Amino acid sequence: MTSSDPTAVPDPWHSLHELLAAMDAEIERVYVERGIEGVRPRFAYPLIRLAHTGPLTIRELAKSLCRSHSAISQTVAAMRKEGLVTSEPGPDARTRRIDLTERGRSLVPFLEAEWRATHDTVAELDSVIPYAMTTVVEEVRRALGHRSMRQRILDHLVEPPR
């Protein structure tokens, strides 16, 4: 143990996590105001994708959304609980094919409209703030492409003596 608690200082990620959570809560509020209960904003991307591709395994869905298998597996479990998707045995015993239920399918037109409105909102926000969020994200990505987060952490890491 070191002499001071490093978690006692403000977490530089806190504001970003808080902002993203608040934005998701606002999107979810739009759903609730439209009478759509039990649908989280994170469900929109996979539901829309499944509507356009048809049934996919969790691995295929994760790959098509550029998400981890674990994240999509958790999202699918939550969507299944809300009656939005079904899960049937896949081509082999280890895979499951995910498909939309009637309820899930019926929500897709609204979710597509919300998706477009959310993208328009991000573009609007980018136009009214001094540093566009999308530009900042791309600049951070570019900087990490030159020197990875891992390498940057290692450059600052002072390990305690053993």
Side-chain angles (χ1 to χ4, degrees), residues 119-138:
H119 281 238
D120 289 346
T121 300
V122 170
E124 177 187 309
L125 285 169
D126 275 353
S127 74
V128 299
I129 57 176
Y131 305 102
M133 291 185 294
T134 53
T135 301
V136 170
V137 168
E138 283 309 309

Side-chain angles (χ1 to χ4, degrees), residues 80-148:
R80 191 172 40 241
K81 182 179 174 192
E82 295 299 334
L84 301 168
V85 297
T86 60
S87 174
E88 303 294 331
D92 62 53
R94 297 173 303 156
T95 61
R96 311 273 308 159
R97 293 193 69 76
I98 310 306
D99 199 5
L100 297 175
T101 63
E102 281 306 312
R103 178 174 185 241
R105 192 171 313 287
S106 73
L107 294 175
V108 168
F110 175 78
L111 293 175
E112 288 178 333
E114 176 270 313
W115 184 272
R116 289 181 184 100
T118 298
H119 281 238
D120 289 346
T121 300
V122 170
E124 177 187 309
L125 285 169
D126 275 353
S127 74
V128 299
I129 57 176
Y131 305 102
M133 291 185 294
T134 53
T135 301
V136 170
V137 168
E138 283 309 309
E139 288 177 3
V140 169
R141 190 177 314 229
R142 198 173 309 117
L144 293 174
H146 293 297
R147 200 165 106 235
S148 72

Side-chain angles (χ1 to χ4, degrees), residues 19-82:
L19 175 64
L20 292 173
M23 292 167 75
D24 269 355
E26 291 288 321
I27 294 169
E28 190 168 351
R29 195 166 149 205
V30 170
Y31 298 165
V32 171
E33 288 169 354
R34 298 304 187 281
I36 302 169
E37 300 283 339
V39 176
R40 304 291 314 252
R42 69 184 169 118
F43 297 174
Y45 200 11
L47 290 172
I48 293 168
R49 181 58 50 89
L50 287 167
H52 288 272
T53 62
L56 295 171
T57 65
I58 291 177
R59 184 170 311 287
E60 291 166 339
L61 183 57
K63 184 176 179 185
S64 78
L65 301 176
C66 298
R67 300 289 193 266
S68 71
H69 184 280
S70 174
I72 292 301
S73 181
Q74 291 173 13
T75 298
V76 164
M79 292 189 306
R80 191 172 40 241
K81 182 179 174 192
E82 295 299 334

Side-chain angles (χ1 to χ4, degrees), residues 4-11:
S4 63
D5 178 359
T7 65
V9 298
D11 176 6

